[in-house]
Amino acid sequence: MAISTSTPPDGAPGTAPPAGTGTGGDRQRRRTLLHRLDVGGAPYAFVAPFFIVFAAFSFYPLIYTSWISLHRVELSTLNLMEWVGFDNYTALWDDARFWNALLNTFTIGVLSTVPQLLMALGLAHLLNYRLRGSTFFRVAALTPYATSVGAAALVFTMLFERDFGMINWMLSLVGVDNIDWENNKWAAQTAISTIVIWRWTGYNALLYLAAMQAIPRDRYEAAAIDGASRWQQFLKVTVPGIRSTIVFTIVLSTIGATQLFGEPLIFGQGPNGITGGADNQYQTLGLLLYEEGWKNYQMGRAATVAWAMFLLLIVVFIVQRVVKRVVARKA
């Protein structure tokens, strides 16, 4: 009896569909597609919220501010803009108030940043030792940072008050006459720098402390075996070990000094706070921006000051990178 060897037609009863076709094949293709999307697209989905927020609240305002800086526009009529090109920038370059604010920003930044970081470095070095109640001291060091700038500035304003302030009272005990902290240029800048130092020293100290604790202990043991004193260990082991953190805090403090606004504004106690005193003796770039935009209602000029601050930070960053490379080559 002959046996038929012909292949039954597709879809005939009792036959299975070829592999990769039909419902099973479609399901497999969907699984493969979902797997590819999961592997290739999941990382972008995780980072997308950051870029969306950055684009909405950082990138777009930056571009829009640059556009406004090329126009003459007032705060009351933001929809009416007159194209002036780079006239706002040339006017700012010729404005003595801008150079005064730039100089004040630099001097206050130096007066606040240098002592602040040195004190933070010493405080972190002390906290790095095994002390009783070390957790309490670390929390206490961070307390000024948690205090609002408004509360801190108000308290220090009362302390530096000319006639009834505690600072002048303490100075009078050693024969020093009352100092007019607000109307004297260097006295005002010193007082404002004191507020900044008080608020940020503990924060930077904790950054240094975290970096110090990451230094291997065997380095200190090797230095001690070689006869290095505590001070020598600090200079030769601790400081080189936290060099990157020190650079980070310098950059962070520079950015903060460039954007200084709340402390001098509240220190002025009224209209003088906006202008940085009667003679602009402590007006920073942040106060100049506020004065142009919200006192003179010239948003184009205010946007120009904002972009000048941004370009200044870029210059500082470039200088920092160049200095870092020069130091690394010499080392």
Side-chain angles (χ1 to χ4, degrees):
M1 182 177 180
I3 300 176
S4 175
T5 58
S6 61
T7 304
D10 293 341
T15 62
T21 61
T23 304
D26 293 340
R27 187 180 298 113
Q28 183 64 29
R29 282 194 296 270
R30 284 196 298 269
R31 289 178 179 176
T32 303
L33 179 60
L34 291 175
H35 177 72
R36 291 178 178 176
L37 291 176
D38 181 44
V39 174
Y44 297 98
F46 286 128
V47 301
F50 165 77
F51 286 101
I52 293 174
V53 173
F54 175 79
F57 296 100
S58 295
F59 185 73
Y60 172 74
L62 182 67
I63 300 302
Y64 188 63
T65 301
S66 65
W67 177 251
I68 292 180
S69 68
L70 302 176
H71 295 77
R72 180 181 293 109
V73 53
E74 296 186 1
L75 181 63
S76 58
T77 55
L78 291 176
N79 59 327
L80 300 178
M81 295 190 295
E82 178 185 353
W83 175 264
V84 295
F86 290 97
D87 289 352
N88 287 330
Y89 290 92
T90 56
L92 186 67
W93 183 267
D94 297 330
D95 192 349
R97 293 180 307 150
F98 168 73
W99 296 107
N100 175 71
L102 180 61
L103 179 61
N104 291 339
T105 301
F106 174 77
T107 54
I108 294 176
V110 172
L111 290 174
S112 60
T113 299
V114 176
Q116 172 194 153
L117 297 184
L118 291 177
M119 293 171 60
L121 191 60
L123 181 60
H125 185 61
L126 293 176
L127 293 176
N128 196 31
Y129 289 107
R130 295 181 180 179
L131 303 174
R132 288 186 177 182
S134 59
T135 302
F136 168 78
F137 291 114
R138 294 173 186 177
V139 174
L142 196 60
T143 301
Y145 171 71
T147 306
S148 68
V149 60
L154 284 174
V155 171
F156 275 89
T157 298
M158 292 186 291
L159 291 177
F160 285 103
E161 210 275 334
R162 183 187 60 184
D163 298 320
F164 306 104
M166 184 176 292
I167 303 298
N168 278 340
W169 173 77
M170 295 176 63
L171 292 176
S172 66
L173 297 179
V174 294
V176 178
D177 295 334
N178 285 356
I179 299 176
D180 192 351
W181 293 98
E182 181 180 352
N183 294 320
N184 183 278
K185 178 178 180 178
W186 291 107
Q189 294 189 11
T190 301
I192 294 171
S193 300
T194 304
I195 305 174
V196 179
I197 292 171
W198 183 82
R199 290 195 67 234
W200 290 95
T201 298
Y203 174 81
N204 289 314
L206 291 185
L207 291 180
Y208 290 152
L209 178 61
M212 289 178 183
Q213 292 182 341
I215 299 176
R217 305 305 302 179
D218 55 2
R219 295 186 183 180
Y220 292 98
E221 295 174 359
I225 292 174
D226 292 338
S229 62
R230 291 283 189 179
W231 177 248
Q232 290 174 331
Q233 292 179 29
F234 175 74
L235 292 179
K236 302 299 183 179
V237 179
T238 303
V239 174
I242 64 171
R243 183 176 300 168
S244 59
T245 305
I246 293 176
V247 173
F248 170 75
T249 55
I250 292 175
V251 174
L252 193 66
S253 299
T254 303
I255 295 175
T258 305
Q259 299 175 343
L260 191 64
F261 174 74
E263 290 86 348
L265 177 66
I266 298 175
F267 183 78
Q269 305 183 56
N272 284 342
I274 300 177
T275 59
D279 297 325
N280 307 116
Q281 63 267 21
Y282 56 88
Q283 186 180 48
T284 60
L285 290 174
L287 288 179
L288 179 62
L289 186 154
Y290 185 83
E291 181 185 13
E292 289 287 7
W294 281 266
K295 183 181 179 181
N296 301 333
Y297 305 111
Q298 298 297 324
M299 297 304 296
R301 296 180 184 177
T304 306
V305 176
W307 258 88
M309 296 169 63
F310 177 70
L311 295 176
L312 177 63
L313 290 177
I314 293 179
V315 171
V316 171
F317 175 76
I318 294 174
V319 171
Q320 179 265 329
R321 296 292 296 179
V322 172
V323 172
K324 184 178 179 181
R325 289 185 178 182
V326 171
V327 173
R329 289 178 181 177
K330 291 183 178 180

